[in-house]
Amino acid sequence: MPGTLYLCATPIGNLEDITYRVVRILGEVDLIAAEDTRNSIRLLNHFQIRTPMTSYHEHNKYDKGRKLVEKLLEGKNIALITDAGTPGISDPGEELVKMCCEADITVTSLPGAAACITALTVSGLPTRRFAFEAFLPTDKKEREKTLDELAGETRTIVLYEAPHRLVKTLRLLAEKLGDRKASVCRELTKKHETVYRTSLLEAASYYEENEPKGECVIVIKGRSREELDREMREAWENMSIEAHVEHYLSQGYDKKEAMKKAGKDRGVSRRDIYNYLERKNK
């Protein structure tokens, strides 16, 4: 029988945040796959865990992933840990889970610390609906596309950022999304944990004067639906009815449905759109 891949959440700062179950599993499995063995050895030594380790990270995730799958198929049990937090969240563990699922290997997650959830819950911003974006893309075009998508996001947005890029990213977010309410969370669960509840531009100004240290999580308030609807109505009103209907026709809708959707956007009936177009044609 194949073994099991255990996704083991490790502390993001305070070592007391590890669970009893994770400590037990890390001691029982045949092998631990760690993002950075030099970092993880300190955690294992603290809890007196002597299980062998191997590296599994962004630069070897495909080749090493296949080797780990082979071991799992041989019946070995493997625990996957990241440098901090839950494996598979913005790290190469996602690829290993995919490989295991394709090979019909059991994957189970041992819940625990996650920086995105920790930051969200202390941000003071709405938590019922949120969009987790992790790090913004490094490629300029991809980053622009992502920011364009986030500009209309009504859910609370959660982003990761390194301290040396924090100010630049905060100003870019304010430029593309508007100067929204935001919380910048640093050193979560550690001795010098800080949650700065402010706006994007105020946070940028503050951290220009006070150099940030430690990994950062930016939590941003989503746009209100009322504001978004108002902007959409204004955009439609500036577009001719003919162009509005053509917009939906180009998306594959038939003429009847295109007129119905254009009417809904403008707050009128499909019949009103139809009558207008008929008069225009005559």
Side-chain angles (χ1 to χ4, degrees):
M1 293 290 290
T4 297
L5 177 68
Y6 295 91
L7 308 178
C8 295
T10 54
I12 59 176
N14 193 316
L15 292 181
E16 293 179 358
D17 290 335
I18 201 166
T19 67
Y20 290 117
R21 185 183 175 205
V22 167
V23 172
R24 176 175 63 80
I25 291 297
L26 289 178
E28 292 178 356
V29 293
D30 300 293
L31 181 66
I32 297 172
E35 188 173 9
D36 187 338
T37 56
R38 296 166 300 179
N39 179 65
S40 297
I41 192 64
R42 293 194 291 271
L43 176 73
L44 299 189
N45 286 341
H46 181 82
F47 291 102
Q48 300 180 2
I49 296 168
R50 305 292 179 234
T51 305
M53 261 198 307
T54 188
S55 64
Y56 175 78
H57 48 72
E58 183 65 31
H59 303 295
N60 72 353
K61 62 182 179 182
Y62 298 112
D63 292 339
K64 179 57 73 71
R66 285 188 285 270
K67 292 178 182 178
L68 293 174
V69 167
E70 289 175 5
K71 291 183 181 294
L72 287 158
L73 290 172
E74 292 170 0
K76 303 291 186 183
N77 292 318
I78 298 176
L80 178 66
I81 59 176
T82 184
D83 281 348
T86 301
I89 301 295
S90 188
D91 78 13
E94 177 185 7
E95 186 61 35
L96 182 58
V97 171
K98 179 183 176 183
M99 289 181 178
C100 288
C101 291
E102 291 173 349
D104 203 24
I105 293 168
T106 299
V107 179
T108 187
S109 182
L110 282 61
C116 55
I117 299 298
T118 305
L120 178 68
T121 55
V122 299
S123 68
L125 297 172
T127 60
R128 189 178 70 85
R129 301 168 63 249
F130 68 96
F132 175 58
E133 190 58 44
F135 289 92
L136 289 174
T138 54
D139 179 79
K140 186 175 180 180
K141 288 185 178 179
E142 284 298 313
R143 187 167 62 247
E144 288 294 321
K145 289 179 181 178
T146 299
L147 290 169
D148 287 342
E149 292 171 358
L150 293 178
E153 182 60 69
T154 59
R155 295 170 294 180
T156 300
I157 301 166
V158 184
L159 296 165
Y160 289 162
E161 192 50 280
H164 66 279
R165 293 194 302 264
L166 179 62
V167 172
K168 183 178 179 180
T169 297
L170 288 169
R171 294 204 177 281
L172 179 63
L173 288 166
E175 176 189 339
K176 299 294 184 180
L177 279 60
D179 189 22
R180 304 191 198 177
K181 284 186 177 180
S183 292
V184 178
C185 307
R186 296 175 42 258
E187 297 284 82
L188 287 167
T189 77
K190 299 178 183 178
K191 182 178 180 180
H192 299 293
E193 172 181 296
T194 61
V195 181
Y196 187 35
R197 302 177 182 91
T198 179
S199 71
L200 290 169
L201 286 178
E202 286 181 1
S205 298
Y206 176 81
Y207 285 113
E208 275 184 333
E209 300 296 326
N210 302 272
E211 183 182 359
K213 296 179 181 179
E215 296 301 312
C216 307
V217 185
I218 307 169
V219 187
I220 309 164
K221 186 176 182 180
R223 297 190 65 182
S224 70
R225 283 202 174 96
E226 294 77 12
E227 181 185 7
L228 201 59
D229 289 344
R230 184 173 64 252
E231 286 189 7
M232 287 298 292
R233 283 195 301 271
E234 290 173 356
W236 294 132
E237 288 168 0
N238 291 327
M239 179 186 289
S240 70
I241 292 177
E242 293 91 336
H244 199 159
V245 173
E246 183 59 37
H247 166 75
Y248 286 116
L249 289 173
S250 67
Q251 293 183 9
Y253 292 99
D254 61 33
K255 190 171 183 179
K256 181 178 179 181
E257 187 64 21
M259 289 190 292
K260 181 178 179 181
K261 293 183 76 65
K264 183 178 180 181
D265 290 340
R266 292 172 174 268
V268 298
S269 69
R270 181 185 67 83
R271 173 60 61 179
D272 291 331
I273 299 294
Y274 174 80
N275 290 337
Y276 170 83
L277 293 176
E278 282 293 300
R279 289 195 303 272
K280 193 78 172 178
N281 289 335
K282 289 178 181 179

